[in-house]
Every structure is written in structure tokens, then in C-alpha cells.
Amino acid sequence: MKDWKLENRTDGLPDMPVLRELDVLVVGGGSAGVAAATVCGRNGLKTAVIEKYGFCGGAAVAGMSGTICGMYMASDKESHAPEQVVFGFTEEFRSRLAARGGVTEPQLYGKTFTVTHDPLVWREVADELLEEAGVEVFYHTAVSGVIMDGETYKGVIVESNAGRSVILAKRIIDASGDAAVVARAGGEYFFGDNGVIQNPTMFFRLGNVDMDTYLEFYGEDTICPPKVTEKILALNASGEYSLPRHKIWIFPTTRLNELMVNATRLAGQDGRVLNVIDPVDFSEAEIFGRKQVRDYAKFLKAFMPGCENSYVVDTAVEVGIRQTRSIEGIEKLTNEDVVSCRKRSDGIVRTPWPIELHSGTKPKLHWLLDDWYEVPYGTLVPKLGENIIVAGRCLCAEHEALASARVTAQTFEYGHAAAQATLLSIREERRYRDIRGEDVREHMTQAGSRF
Ligand SMILES: Cc1cc2nc3c(=O)[nH]c(=O)nc-3n(C[C@H](O)[C@H](O)[C@H](O)COP(=O)(O)OP(=O)(O)OC[C@H]3O[C@@H](n4cnc5c(N)ncnc54)[C@H](O)[C@@H]3O)c2cc1C
């Protein structure tokens, strides 16, 4: 696989127009980028966000991951009601969605709960928050290079169909999910478990479902009951179908008679694990994903009560990417931190979400019961380079740990943390690596986060 490492790094100012000179540039408008840019902007920093699509949301919207996981505690107790433990920017965004009818009440997901959001309302809420915070947004613009002065990040080269230009910034928040900025500068990163990363999934929405009949059969739990898995296995064994994932998840949405389906499992046509940072693998995932959506939709129409007259409303804009690059940070979230529910004085978010590992034919779930762990601040700070911090799923975490720490309640709060660190860094002229996680946590608490 080809990577961009070092090929798009420029030392010194290239001969190109300077589009903006900023306090903060946020690269990527996913959940982490929207949080980071909003918090920087509302605190008076001259901030812009660049996003390669024409809307914000990233994996949550373009990838249609569709739910805000990671807000509620998991439990085995019989009378287990939703207990929210993550607040701050996550709760601000959830309540804005709720005010527009764009998010469901908590829905059962195994031993915990999640909420399903509307992808259109998500985009509108993000636009509204960024506008209110005075953040300038450049849609349809992508980072293609990095401007460095030795180890210090000075800005980026951006590319749109208008051409190439430069954005200079005192600080850069890499919220690209793929560590696009860090990688182009030659920063250190790794892929999953010795290069093996989690499967991508193509989401789809199914319309015209008779919800009462559906719910009576499927039940309230969004993780499919064993009878659905058994049916898939039997159909596969008979040769009638070839559905590679046996445990599927289905979420009623905020729209009338509509379901959102998380069912596909995408590997290469030759069975290899796809690495979607590579356009060859990414394209294969998109094409194969659309085909697999039709297979699962056919299965649901034929065998899921209530879905007899259903149709595919749409697939995600892009195949959902769970994992690509993880940076090497000054701290690493370990698998042991997660399973032992380790609390930290420098923790910047609580995480009660299970390890939800998508590899093989059945996603593996390791529950954290009646407890959570905390993600340390240093996981956002790259080992190498100054004036750069990451936010979102490219934080420094071991493979299984990331399979828990990557969900949206947490990625919002990573963005919040990166913004609070940026405010401290600029106001006190301190390097990110010299900022104490405890201070970031304190500022997050003042802004509504809970620990
Ligand atoms: C299949 C799947 C199912 C999931 N299910 C759930 C779920 O049910 N609930 C849940 O909470 N989470 C779920 N997740 C996880 C969650 O959606 C993501 O981890 C989270 O949204 C990541 O947010 P982020 O901001 O870190 O990155 P992203 O959402 O990936 O955002 C990165 C943004 O940066 C932009 N970008 C990238 N490179 C560039 C560039 N060079 N220039 C400009 N812009 C760029 C991208 O377009 C994107 O908008 C799922 C993820 C997947 C893939």
C-alpha cells in the first residue's frame, strides 16, 4: 500500500496565495472537528474548519453511523434504565438535535443504550453551531500538504477546484479521522493490530416498514435476537444467500416507518482485510458495500416481519470507516486501561462503551458494567511536532482500546478537549505537550463536562 508520508511536506512558505492567517485551523468537520472549532470560535479565537464534503458529520453522517454511542452506562441489572455519564459538548449537540426533532430517546443496545440521530438534522445543527461561534467554514476543500518549519507546524496547503492555496495558523487541530495532517508531515502513526484494522460497513436506511409488526418480532433491543442470526446462518448454509455478517444491528429512526441498518461486513473480494486509507481498497469497499446492501435488504424484505413492503431509502454517502491511522502520542490508551476501567486525574472523557470489535463474521463485544474508564489528554498529543494536536478517532490507542474509545459521544469530547488545550496553549504560550491534562479537564468541567 502506498502512503503519503513525507511526500506532501513543504519546509518554508510555498509560492501560492495565502487564503487565511488564523489562530486555529481545524482539519475535518466530523464530530471531533465540529466540537473543536465551535469551542475555539466561541472563546474568541480566529478559527476556520476545512472539510472535503459539503457538510459536516464525517463518519456519523457521511458514513451514516447514525447513533451517538458512549453516553450511557452499561449494566446487567434487571431494572436497568439509561444513566447518562457523558455531558459537555456531547450533551450540547444531543440537546440541539432534540430541539429539532433530530434524535430519538435512548434505545436499548444489549446491556446499554444509544440514541439514533437524523443525518440531515445533524448537518444543520453543525452549521448552526459553527455560525454562532463565528467559525469560518470551507467546504469542498481538502488538505493536500503541510507547511513546516523544522518540527513546527505552520500551516497547510489546501486544494479545491479553485486551485491550491495556503492557510497559515498558530495551531492546527487534526480532526481528519485519518491523521491526514500528521501523516503528511511525517509524524508517527500505526494501523490497528500490526496493520490489521476493523472492517468497514456500508449503512443503509429502509423505508415503509410496518413498525408494530417489526418490533413485535425483532424486539426493543437494537442488537438482533438469536433467531435472526440463526436464520442468516441457515440461509447461508442452504446456499440461498451469502450474508457475511450474522449478528446485525437495526435502529428505528426519527422518521416515520424507517429503520437504519448496520449489517454489512466488507472485506476484499479475495477475502483480504481492506485498508480504506488506500483508494484501491476504499473503492472496492464502496462498490462491494452497495452490492451487499441489496443482499441484506432482500433478506429483510423476505424474512423480517414488517419489512415485506420495505425499500432501500439510501445508502451512506461513503462506506463507514471505523479505523485507519492512529497517531503515536505522548500517551497511549491501552487495552488494560479499558478493561480495568482506569480513572485518571488527566482524563478528558469518561467512556462506558464496550470494546466493540468488528473483525471476523461476528462483532465482538466486551462490556464494561456499571463503570467507565477515562481517556488521558496525552493520547491527543503527537510524539513529534509542535503546534499540532489531534481530535477524534485517530488518537493514540491500542487496537481493542480504540474499538471502544472511537464512538461519537467520546469523539465530540476529544474535540472539546483539543479546543480547551488550544485555548491554554495560545493564551499562555505553552506547547501542547507541556499542558497538564488536569488543567484541560478543569476547563472542560467549567464548560459542562462531567468527571
Ligand atoms: C461503520 C461504523 C459504525 C459506527 N457506529 C457507530 C455508532 O453506532 N455510534 C457511534 O457513536 N459511533 C459509531 N461509529 C464511530 C463514529 O461514527 C466515528 O468514530 C466518529 O464519528 C469519528 O469522528 P471523528 O470526528 O473522529 O472522525 P470523522 O467522522 O471520520 O471525521 C473526519 C472528517 O474529516 C474530513 N477529512 C478527512 N480528511 C480530510 C482532508 N484531507 N481534508 C479535509 N477534510 C478531511 C472527513 O471528510 C470527515 O468529515 C461507527 C463508525 C463506523 C465507521
Side-chain angles (χ1 to χ4, degrees):
M1 189 189 67
K2 183 179 179 308
D3 204 353
W4 296 100
K5 207 169 178 183
L6 285 181
E7 283 177 16
N8 292 285
R9 174 186 163 131
T10 309
D11 281 285
L13 201 57
D15 185 19
M16 285 176 204
V18 176
L19 188 60
R20 290 291 181 275
E21 288 188 51
L22 304 166
D23 291 325
V24 192
L25 175 67
V26 178
V27 175
S31 42
V34 170
T38 302
V39 174
C40 287
R42 72 164 53 134
N43 283 285
L45 297 182
K46 188 177 175 192
T47 307
V49 57
I50 62 170
E51 167 54 51
K52 69 181 179 192
Y53 289 124
F55 53 87
C56 284
V61 171
M64 212 194 270
S65 79
T67 73
I68 306 177
C69 293
M71 274 194 297
Y72 303 100
M73 198 102 93
S75 183
D76 254 345
K77 291 181 191 137
E78 273 208 6
S79 57
H80 174 211
E83 188 185 343
Q84 188 172 345
V85 294
V86 178
F87 292 87
F89 192 87
T90 303
E91 173 52 22
E92 182 178 352
F93 202 92
R94 191 210 62 78
S95 60
R96 290 265 186 147
L97 287 167
R100 289 167 173 260
V103 68
T104 64
E105 290 299 310
Q107 300 170 324
L108 191 63
Y109 175 96
K111 299 173 195 284
T112 187
F113 296 86
T114 187
V115 292
T116 297
H117 59 78
D118 183 280
L120 174 59
V121 179
W122 206 110
R123 299 170 207 202
E124 293 166 340
V125 167
D127 285 342
E128 180 182 85
L129 280 165
L130 293 167
E131 194 179 348
E132 280 174 18
V135 175
E136 192 171 16
V137 181
F138 295 97
Y139 284 135
H140 304 295
T141 307
V143 160
S144 59
V146 184
I147 301 161
M148 304 291 292
D149 179 3
E151 292 298 309
T152 303
Y153 288 71
K154 291 290 186 187
V156 297
I157 297 170
V158 296
E159 188 137 6
S160 69
N161 278 356
R164 303 180 93 200
S165 52
V166 163
I167 296 182
L168 298 173
K170 290 179 188 154
R171 302 290 184 276
I172 297 175
I173 300 178
D174 184 346
S176 65
D178 294 333
V181 180
V182 171
R184 281 166 173 76
E188 288 182 272
Y189 58 83
F190 58 98
F191 284 93
D193 183 10
N194 291 316
V196 176
I197 58 174
Q198 296 190 70
N199 305 131
T201 287
M202 180 64 94
F203 274 74
F204 63 101
R205 289 186 286 142
L206 202 66
N208 202 29
V209 174
D210 176 339
M211 293 302 284
D212 291 341
T213 310
Y214 162 79
L215 284 171
E216 199 183 321
F217 176 80
Y218 190 91
E220 295 291 332
D221 194 342
T222 55
I223 299 181
C224 76
K227 61 189 174 189
V228 173
T229 299
E230 284 156 19
K231 187 74 195 169
I232 292 174
L233 288 169
L235 289 168
N236 283 350
S238 72
E240 218 181 314
Y241 278 77
S242 177
L243 303 171
R245 187 168 143 196
H246 314 143
K247 195 168 178 181
I248 64 175
W249 300 334
I250 304 182
F251 305 86
T253 75
T254 54
R255 301 179 190 185
L256 204 61
N257 303 331
E258 190 191 77
L259 297 172
M260 188 186 71
V261 186
N262 175 346
T264 64
R265 183 182 82 86
L266 303 174
Q269 299 283 17
D270 56 2
R272 75 187 187 285
V273 175
L274 296 173
N275 186 340
V276 286
I277 208 80
D278 181 341
V280 173
D281 280 14
F282 206 168
S283 303
E284 193 165 330
E286 299 284 8
I287 295 163
F288 191 39
R290 282 189 282 274
K291 284 187 186 156
Q292 227 181 79
V293 162
R294 290 293 179 193
D295 293 342
Y296 276 96
K298 187 175 150 207
F299 159 73
L300 292 172
K301 200 173 163 80
F303 297 103
M304 185 72 73
C307 295
E308 295 81 1
N309 298 311
S310 64
Y311 63 94
V312 177
V313 177
D314 207 354
T315 65
V317 172
E318 69 172 17
V319 71
I321 300 153
R322 292 189 170 85
Q323 184 180 19
T324 51
R325 298 186 186 101
S326 302
I327 62 151
E328 287 289 1
I330 58 174
E331 285 253 17
K332 188 176 271 180
L333 181 73
T334 66
N335 301 338
E336 181 55 29
D337 290 339
V338 173
V339 295
S340 66
C341 289
R342 183 174 176 199
K343 316 289 185 299
R344 322 250 322 196
S345 59
D346 59 352
I348 43 102
V349 67
R350 295 166 165 176
T351 309
W353 194 248
I355 294 178
E356 181 205 313
L357 196 64
H358 291 255
S359 51
T361 56
K362 204 169 104 179
K364 292 181 199 101
L365 288 166
H366 176 101
W367 296 98
L368 310 175
L369 296 177
D370 306 302
D371 209 350
W372 64 77
Y373 63 93
E374 291 177 352
V375 179
Y377 163 69
T379 56
L380 307 182
V381 182
K383 250 186 196 169
L384 299 175
E386 305 304 338
N387 297 346
I388 180 85
I389 191 165
V390 307
R393 65 176 169 83
C394 54
L395 82 164
C396 183
E398 287 182 354
H399 185 53
E400 282 85 7
L402 185 67
S404 162
R406 71 188 166 81
V407 288
T408 320
Q410 281 61 44
T411 50
F412 276 131
E413 284 293 86
Y414 301 143
H416 182 186
Q420 295 292 356
T422 301
L423 285 156
L424 287 168
S425 174
I426 290 183
R427 287 178 183 156
E428 298 176 9
E429 294 184 12
R430 285 160 67 194
R431 303 186 307 170
Y432 283 116
R433 68 188 69 254
D434 296 333
I435 290 169
R436 295 170 65 242
E438 286 80 351
D439 294 340
V440 175
R441 179 181 172 115
E442 173 59 28
H443 282 81
M444 291 179 76
T445 306
Q446 286 166 21
S449 301
R450 293 194 202 166
F451 297 99

